Amino acid sequence: MKILPFPSKIKVAMVQLKNVFTAEKVNGKYVLDGLEGKLFKCLAEKLNFEFEIVESPNGQYGSSNNNGTWDGVIGLVQSGNADMGFGALSISEKRLEVVDFSNAYIVLQKSFVTKEPSQMPKITAFIYPFTLNVWILYTLIILATTVLFQRIMFRNSTLLGSFLSMLGSISSQAVENVRDTPWRRILFGLWLTIASVMTFLYNINFLSFLTMPEKVPVPKSFEELSKMVLSGKYKCLTPIGTIDRDLLRGSGIDYMVKLGEAIEKNDWKYSFTDNIADLLDGSAAIIIPRISLKFLLGSPPYVRVKMSDENFGIWNAGIALKKGFCCSERLNDVLYGIINGGLYEKWTEEHAFAISLHKRSELQHEETELQLTLQDLKLPFFVLFIGYAFAFGVFLLEVLSPKRLDIFYS
């Protein structure tokens, strides 16, 4: 079989994006940079062809229109205005209908990121040790014990008096006016055990929350993200000119479909040229391939974002080729050598390291606070003073009242 010579000149469609693919003409020659730029430059050298850069007119990689045409890089290749398209393009069935693809050279794990969760305010730390369900259950236990003890445990006690005695026992106060019988001792000992254990658990958890505050909850999975988006607590953005919305809506998973529909309805989108940190201000999440985040922002701990625990899909990415491209086999052979030689992985790590180094130089040193301050304890002191004021008011009412008040005994 005759091997066709590789074209001497190629038109390549691309999107100008820092660290991904940049092309600048200097003295009549293109200077390429970025991860994809280095890959294309290496291909041009090995296959010995010249090239002409054709930029995407709308800065997009390619999404389908209602009339069957495509825009962005895919559209340029489909129309024949470019021979190939670069930009780690996801290979999908719809795209394969209008363009061909080289062998896959990278795997895109589609995930989402949110802003790094901030610390929960210490001023309300007194409610953190227990969840809402535990607080409700504990309150119901106290109310039930109040009624039970008022009827069978205390002598001539009022309901209010029984309730105050139960609250006092939680605070390690002595309980008086108890009927002394063997079975009542067992019941009373069971209650004191519950009160002591719950108080102990609360105290140690309260101190731990003050010392190491919890983080504000953020969605960790696509199911949680979908629920938060549908409830209006979060918004989710997808990259402009990608097929992410189509992939979500066509996933067949209910919460994924609803998430994709919400994104489409609100037209939430972003560009890779935007500042990712600015996009995440407030309650926002962005869908992005894991590797893109790595060479757009760098690596932890210098990246102040939280990556989700799961992916909504994994797609292969390759080079888009116009239909009937003559030399795809030769292109694949050279591409195979570059990938298996570890060059693409090396370029990825170099870019990620350079970005992380830059982020590290910008990072301001912060002293870790390991001491409790008056600000942290402001609310507990406030509650304490309110309690003292209330107790003093009750004392004055009891002293000045013409008739003696007795809230404990009927």
Side-chain angles (χ1 to χ4, degrees):
M1 181 178 178
K2 184 179 179 181
I3 300 177
L4 296 175
F6 204 87
S8 59
K9 190 169 184 178
I10 292 289
K11 289 184 178 180
V12 57
M14 49 82 74
V15 175
Q16 290 273 8
L17 183 59
K18 184 180 179 181
N19 296 320
V20 179
F21 200 138
T22 59
E24 183 180 359
K25 212 165 189 179
V26 179
N27 297 327
K29 291 187 177 181
Y30 287 104
V31 178
L32 307 180
D33 197 12
L35 182 61
E36 294 291 302
K38 288 185 176 180
L39 174 61
F40 179 71
K41 182 180 178 181
C42 187
L43 288 172
E45 291 175 353
K46 295 298 181 183
L47 293 170
N48 193 28
F49 64 83
E50 296 181 355
F51 56 87
E52 178 185 347
I53 298 295
V54 182
E55 292 190 35
S56 172
N58 57 0
Q60 299 184 15
Y61 290 102
S63 55
S64 59
N65 301 316
N66 295 329
N67 58 5
T69 61
W70 287 68
D71 57 17
V73 172
I74 298 295
L76 291 172
V77 178
Q78 178 193 23
S79 63
N81 292 321
D83 299 301
M84 62 176 62
F86 263 75
L89 301 169
S90 300
I91 303 173
S92 68
E93 292 183 7
K94 283 189 175 182
R95 286 181 172 178
L96 283 170
E97 292 175 359
V98 295
V99 298
D100 291 331
F101 275 92
S102 68
N103 290 342
Y105 62 88
I106 187 175
V107 175
L108 299 179
Q109 298 174 310
K110 299 293 183 72
S111 185
F112 72 87
V113 294
T114 59
K115 187 177 182 180
E116 185 181 40
S118 58
Q119 292 183 347
M120 299 180 72
K122 293 181 181 179
I123 195 171
T124 54
F126 71 95
I127 65 173
Y128 297 160
F130 299 147
T131 64
L132 178 61
N133 290 337
V134 174
W135 279 117
I136 293 174
L137 179 62
Y138 196 23
T139 302
L140 292 176
I141 291 175
I142 293 174
L143 294 177
T145 307
T146 296
V147 176
L148 179 65
F149 275 37
Q150 188 263 340
R151 292 183 177 275
I152 67 174
M153 187 67 68
F154 297 125
R155 298 187 183 94
N156 302 322
S157 175
T158 64
L159 197 60
L160 179 58
S162 177
F163 176 70
L164 294 177
S165 295
M166 293 299 96
L167 288 182
S169 64
I170 293 173
S171 304
S172 302
Q173 299 296 316
V175 180
E176 300 177 349
N177 193 34
V178 179
R179 295 176 181 176
D180 190 10
T181 59
W183 70 271
R184 286 189 175 91
R185 291 176 186 174
I186 296 175
L187 182 62
F188 188 54
L190 178 62
W191 166 251
L192 290 182
T193 301
I194 294 174
S196 300
V197 170
M198 292 298 290
T199 302
F200 173 74
L201 294 176
Y202 177 85
N203 288 335
I204 59 176
N205 278 281
F206 177 68
L207 292 176
S208 68
F209 272 107
L210 288 178
T211 306
M212 295 293 292
E214 282 286 295
K215 299 286 187 178
V216 175
V218 296
K220 298 179 180 179
S221 66
F222 276 92
E223 186 173 4
E224 292 179 4
L225 177 62
S226 180
K227 291 179 180 178
M228 290 190 174
V229 167
L230 295 177
S231 64
K233 296 179 181 178
Y234 258 78
K235 65 178 181 179
C236 182
L237 297 82
T238 57
I240 296 174
T242 62
I243 57 175
D244 290 350
R245 297 184 187 185
D246 296 335
L247 294 175
L248 286 170
R249 295 199 303 270
S251 64
I253 303 174
D254 184 56
Y255 61 84
M256 290 280 199
V257 174
K258 290 180 178 178
L259 177 61
E261 291 174 348
I263 295 171
E264 185 68 29
K265 178 182 177 181
N266 294 280
D267 196 25
W268 287 325
K269 57 188 177 183
Y270 73 95
S271 171
F272 284 117
T273 58
D274 295 334
N275 189 327
I276 304 297
D278 293 340
L279 295 173
L280 294 175
D281 278 346
S283 299
I286 64 172
I287 292 180
I288 189 172
R290 290 182 182 270
I291 189 171
S292 297
L293 184 69
K294 188 175 183 180
F295 62 75
L296 285 175
L297 288 182
S299 303
Y302 312 111
V303 182
R304 299 298 180 90
V305 296
K306 175 68 176 178
M307 179 70 73
S308 67
D309 294 338
E310 65 179 15
N311 306 314
F312 84 84
I314 299 176
W315 282 267
N316 292 321
I319 302 170
L321 305 171
K322 69 179 181 181
K323 287 290 185 178
F325 185 73
C326 66
C327 310
S328 57
E329 290 188 9
R330 290 193 61 194
L331 176 67
N332 287 331
D333 287 342
V334 176
L335 186 63
Y336 181 82
I338 292 173
I339 301 305
N340 284 275
L343 290 178
Y344 193 83
E345 184 178 356
K346 174 179 178 292
W347 297 329
T348 303
E349 295 300 327
E350 286 177 349
H351 278 281
F353 176 75
I355 296 168
S356 298
L357 197 62
H358 179 67
K359 294 289 182 182
R360 182 177 181 179
S361 64
E362 293 179 342
L363 190 66
Q364 295 181 353
H365 178 69
E366 297 178 358
E367 290 288 346
T368 305
E369 294 184 6
L370 298 178
Q371 296 178 329
L372 295 177
T373 64
L374 186 60
Q375 180 70 20
D376 299 329
L377 300 174
K378 183 169 63 174
L379 185 60
F381 278 122
F382 177 75
V383 173
L384 178 64
F385 291 141
I386 290 294
Y388 282 151
F390 179 74
F392 184 70
V394 173
F395 171 73
L396 290 179
L397 179 64
E398 190 170 322
V399 171
L400 300 177
S401 176
K403 184 179 180 181
R404 181 176 178 274
L405 298 175
D406 194 342
I407 61 176
F408 282 95
Y409 305 110
S410 58

